[in-house]
Amino acid sequence: QLQAFGGGLVQAGGSLRLSCAASGRTSGSVNIAWFRQAPGKEREFAAAINWSGSQISYADSVKGRFTISRDNSKNTVYLQMNSLTPSDTAVYYCAAGLRPIGVGVDGYKYWGQGTQVTVSS
């Protein structure tokens, strides 16, 4: 019901755009977030957007470099990632929920399978 794609290998300073395609229960008026998990680390919040796009939140670590947006006509949420650094290397997951957007994993009921982002130095 949530499918994340767009990951890949990029050099430091480069850009990638991730997409999260929603279907079924995860389409429509749901809030979407991106989390990421690096090897050996806990899953951490990156960015979130509410169903209308009127509320957006970013982790301090990505603020100014990442932009989250959504196209409800396509049931898709995007994460534009610029000025990537090796510390951005992680599996990126999109998640959907009905609670107000927040940074905790517990606030999102549905999860996609993740897409790998690797940034080389």
Side-chain angles (χ1 to χ4, degrees):
Q1 292 180 329
L2 283 177
Q3 190 170 15
F5 54 95
L9 174 64
V10 64
Q11 288 187 334
S15 299
L16 280 175
R17 188 176 81 159
L18 305 183
S19 299
C20 176
S23 62
R25 293 181 180 180
T26 60
S27 62
S29 302
V30 292
N31 304 323
I32 300 288
W34 287 96
F35 286 78
R36 63 186 185 180
Q37 188 166 19
K41 294 187 177 181
E42 293 186 352
R43 194 167 298 188
E44 66 173 11
F45 171 79
I49 186 168
N50 74 331
W51 69 272
S52 69
S54 63
Q55 297 177 26
I56 289 175
S57 178
Y58 296 102
D60 288 342
S61 58
V62 308
K63 199 172 296 183
R65 301 186 299 121
F66 291 11
T67 302
I68 190 170
S69 62
R70 68 189 299 160
D71 184 343
N72 287 341
S73 68
K74 297 180 180 180
N75 291 325
T76 301
V77 172
Y78 305 98
L79 186 67
Q80 177 67 43
M81 306 185 296
N82 299 328
S83 302
L84 287 163
T85 72
S87 62
D88 295 315
T89 295
V91 177
Y92 283 71
Y93 299 89
C94 59
L98 296 176
R99 296 181 185 179
I101 59 172
V103 303
V105 297
D106 292 344
Y108 301 91
K109 183 176 182 180
Y110 303 99
W111 290 80
Q113 84 287 1
T115 184
Q116 176 70 48
V117 172
T118 303
V119 185
S120 63
S121 58

